[in-house]
Amino acid sequence: MTVYDYLVIGSGTGGAVLAYNLSKAGAHVLLLEAGKYLTKETYPRNEADASAQLYWGGGLEFSHDARMAFLRARVVGGSSVVNQALMDRFDAMALDDWRAETGVDFFSVEAMAPYYEKAESHIALHTFVLEERNRNAELFSEGCDALGYEWKFLRRAQSDCAHEKDNDCIGCLGGCHRDSKQSTMVVYVREAEKFGLEVQAEVEVDHFEPGETVRVFAKSPNGAKQYQAKNLILAGGTFGTTKMLYQSGYKPKFPALGKYFSSHPQFMFFGVYDEEINAHKGMFQTVTSKDPKFRKRGFKFENVYAGPISTAMLFNVSGRDHQKIMRNYRYMTCAEVALRDENAGEISVDKKGHLLINKHFTDQDIRRRADGTGALKQILSASGAKEVVESRSYFGLHLMGGARMGVDEKNAVVGPDFRVFGEKNIYVSDSSLIPNAPGINPGLTVMALSHRLSEELIQ
Amino acid sequence: MKSAYFSAASLRGLNRMGDVFVPAYDEFPSFSESGSIEMVDNMIAYLPDEDVTLLNIVLTLFSVMPVGFLKWLVRTMENSLDKVGTLPSLMRQLNMGLRGIIFGCYYSGRTGADYQGKNPLDIIGYHINRVED
């Protein structure tokens, strides 16, 4: 059996960066991914197929009490294939919080800067401009202006979205058909393959056995698989990495395993107008709130929209009430409140190997939700909406924690050197090591952290 | 139609429940009229096996339940959103699972081979332009 230098599990913003850097440095690397190996030619062309094919659970996963839904990508490239590729550095508020809570000294704006630069230099970045706003974004910013709230244009990882040819970017939520979106599939995995990276898709790792040579046990459509490597890097994301550590027997050793889960819960609001908005057309997500008051109060707003299936799911009605809402599909704007939630959630795994997600709102979360939704309703009303409709469903897109980094194994799983405590050759580099919710999209930071680990491993 | 995952009774149950979620109204065809159930396998193929087994049982029951019961069940599921306890949790799971399948089929852009009416996506005016090169 081949013994790889590095076996990387998960191909999202954590694993793909490492697979690329290590392969480029000459290491023999195998990248395993539970999802399919799809390309711009083979990404699904409609919302239903995209939801079924690109996400765990056939579209959605739920908290144990089924109150909160989670979206978790399952495809080579991970969430970077299906997300909006928004790329923000963390500010001092987020990183200083992390440092204070974990004792990890490189959680600072200054220490992270070189790694942010590495991540940013590897991808095409575009900050939207005024003429790229669609009507949804125009109305959101007009509402903010009317109330004196600051907003800003988003920075996105994209190269050429053919805006001038009237390309509708909402389609790329099912994978970009022109390789403009800078997913890790485009900018890392395919480039790493040129340096000899081996990729095996549709392989779901069950557990591993530590040792001088780590043994990894997995299943695939072709049956059970086994692998060996000198070093193992877990990058399966918060749910995936936590589950693998659980199933490999680490829970008794680490009380923190599965804990400190946060997800930036998102609450969506729709404004209904007399004019045709067509929020699904053009560059459909270009602006966000910037007001420092909101940052301090623990939430932000994003101006978004969704395809018809997702929109239908967001409204908990049926029959004629449902049809009346869908009739207004082209006459609505949408914005969401994203909470900087407390890390009070917990992930565990039952005897059958099912994930159990316990995610409840703390008193602070409830206060922030009320505060944020109140302000967002005002913004939509100020933008001229004749009616503001709240979706009573909410979900988490940024899944964080479960195997968090720290200096003490009593309240962490991974040390500042990215090693699982007590293991010489087992590393974690993904959103599971995030200690608490930053209130900022975590993609760029996970990439930056993986650049830091890459540097340490290559040295 | 035949499904690789659902029995004939399950498909009947899905059409009946689909018509409660999406009845014929205004320009909208009912779920069963649209024939969009024909694409259900595209979605079910990616569900865990045990979810498919449970769905088969539930949908088979729907095939024989009175429509009045199905309407009551939908109202109960929709009213379970903020309730605490095991039963409301099950209702929420069932609600989201059924809505995912029904709306996923209905707004997939595909309709049945025998359906002659307007596509639901045309009715709501959803068209996107994909510039692929």
Side-chain angles (χ1 to χ4, degrees), chain A residues 156-427:
Chain A
R156 187 171 189 262
Q158 65 179 56
S159 60
D160 171 16
C161 287
H163 183 218
E164 71 289 353
K165 296 178 183 171
D166 295 327
N167 187 38
D168 294 325
C169 278
I170 199 168
C172 87
L173 293 179
C176 179
H177 298 113
R178 46 186 296 108
D179 279 353
S180 172
K181 180 154 65 176
Q182 304 285 280
S183 71
T184 58
M185 176 61 167
V186 171
V187 296
Y188 286 109
V189 175
R190 292 213 315 252
E191 292 301 308
E193 286 179 295
K194 295 174 187 169
F195 296 114
L197 171 70
E198 291 180 35
V199 182
Q200 291 192 22
E202 298 182 72
V203 175
E204 185 180 350
V205 172
D206 181 78
H207 68 283
F208 61 85
E209 291 176 359
E212 283 296 316
T213 300
V214 185
R215 298 174 68 200
V216 173
F217 301 85
K219 59 187 177 188
S220 78
N222 301 321
K225 298 251 188 185
Q226 277 192 43
Y227 305 91
Q228 292 188 19
K230 295 173 191 168
N231 298 280
L232 176 64
I233 298 172
L234 302 174
T238 280
F239 289 179
T241 290
T242 301
K243 185 177 177 182
M244 286 186 278
L245 286 165
Y246 247 91
Q247 296 190 153
S248 303
Y250 283 89
K251 181 58 183 172
K253 188 174 179 187
F254 299 125
L257 181 61
K259 292 187 175 173
Y260 306 106
F261 169 56
S262 58
S263 66
H264 291 159
Q266 303 191 10
F267 306 89
M268 297 180 81
F269 289 77
F270 292 78
V272 185
Y273 301 76
D274 287 325
E275 65 168 300
E276 209 170 285
I277 306 295
N278 286 320
H280 61 293
K281 303 295 281 182
M283 300 289 188
F284 88 113
Q285 189 177 4
T286 53
V287 297
T288 185
S289 62
K290 184 193 167 190
D291 204 289
K293 291 190 291 291
F294 297 153
R295 178 80 179 125
K296 283 180 190 158
R297 283 151 64 183
F299 55 82
K300 67 171 180 171
F301 304 137
E302 288 199 346
N303 179 231
V304 294
Y305 212 60
I309 297 170
S310 305
T311 302
M313 295 284 287
L314 282 165
F315 291 100
N316 186 43
V317 293
S318 54
R320 292 184 179 188
D321 291 337
H322 156 76
Q323 287 152 324
K324 283 175 187 166
I325 285 169
M326 296 308 286
R327 264 286 188 204
N328 280 328
Y329 183 81
R330 284 178 298 134
Y331 295 83
M332 295 194 293
T333 63
C334 178
E336 67 188 18
V337 182
L339 287 195
R340 187 180 184 204
D341 55 329
E342 291 194 286
N343 56 359
E346 185 162 356
I347 304 158
S348 58
V349 182
D350 71 12
K351 288 177 183 170
K352 290 182 178 175
H354 297 141
L355 281 164
L356 298 173
I357 314 298
N358 182 354
K359 175 64 181 167
H360 65 277
F361 291 132
T362 64
D363 290 344
Q364 178 176 283
D365 295 338
I366 292 166
R367 282 195 302 274
R368 288 180 170 182
R369 175 184 179 179
D371 193 10
T373 57
L376 182 55
K377 284 179 191 173
Q378 289 179 340
I379 290 170
L380 292 172
S381 294
S383 73
K386 63 180 183 182
E387 185 185 359
V388 177
V389 189
E390 177 177 6
S391 163
R392 292 175 65 212
S393 302
Y394 48 88
F395 49 90
L397 298 181
H398 306 152
L399 312 180
M400 299 169 285
R404 80 166 178 175
M405 181 180 277
V407 295
D408 185 348
E409 63 183 72
K410 287 179 188 157
N411 55 28
V413 176
V414 178
D417 58 0
F418 293 82
R419 284 187 175 96
V420 173
F421 284 115
E423 302 292 358
K424 286 190 294 188
N425 55 356
I426 299 172
Y427 302 84

Side-chain angles (χ1 to χ4, degrees), chain B:
Chain B
M1 71 163 279
K2 285 192 175 176
S3 164
Y5 304 96
F6 285 160
S7 67
S10 297
L11 292 172
R12 271 199 310 279
L14 180 58
N15 259 333
R16 294 182 85 223
M17 186 51 110
D19 285 351
V20 175
F21 277 95
V22 192
Y25 173 62
D26 195 6
E27 275 190 289
F28 289 96
S30 69
F31 177 78
S32 59
E33 284 169 352
S34 75
S36 57
I37 195 171
E38 289 179 20
M39 66 84 64
V40 72
D41 278 8
N42 294 8
M43 299 165 68
I44 303 304
Y46 296 91
L47 289 182
D49 290 346
E50 58 199 67
D51 287 2
V52 178
T53 304
L54 278 172
L55 274 168
N56 255 310
I57 294 168
V58 169
L59 293 174
T60 300
L61 290 172
F62 291 167
S63 72
V64 294
M65 296 286 189
V67 172
F69 173 83
L70 299 184
K71 288 181 177 174
W72 171 85
L73 182 61
V74 169
R75 278 198 305 277
T76 304
M77 290 190 299
E78 289 174 356
N79 290 332
S80 70
L81 220 53
D82 298 319
K83 292 184 177 163
V84 179
T86 305
L87 189 60
S89 293
L90 288 172
M91 288 288 114
R92 286 192 288 272
Q93 286 180 34
L94 183 60
N95 188 31
M96 294 304 283
L98 290 171
R99 296 165 72 82
I101 295 168
I102 291 164
F103 294 140
C105 289
Y106 192 75
Y107 294 110
S108 67
R110 298 174 191 143
T111 53
D114 298 330
Y115 176 67
Q116 303 291 321
K118 277 179 92 170
N119 188 304
L121 291 186
D122 293 332
I123 295 166
I124 65 169
Y126 178 81
H127 298 284
I128 61 169
N129 187 29
R130 292 182 194 274
V131 180
E132 298 191 6
D133 50 23

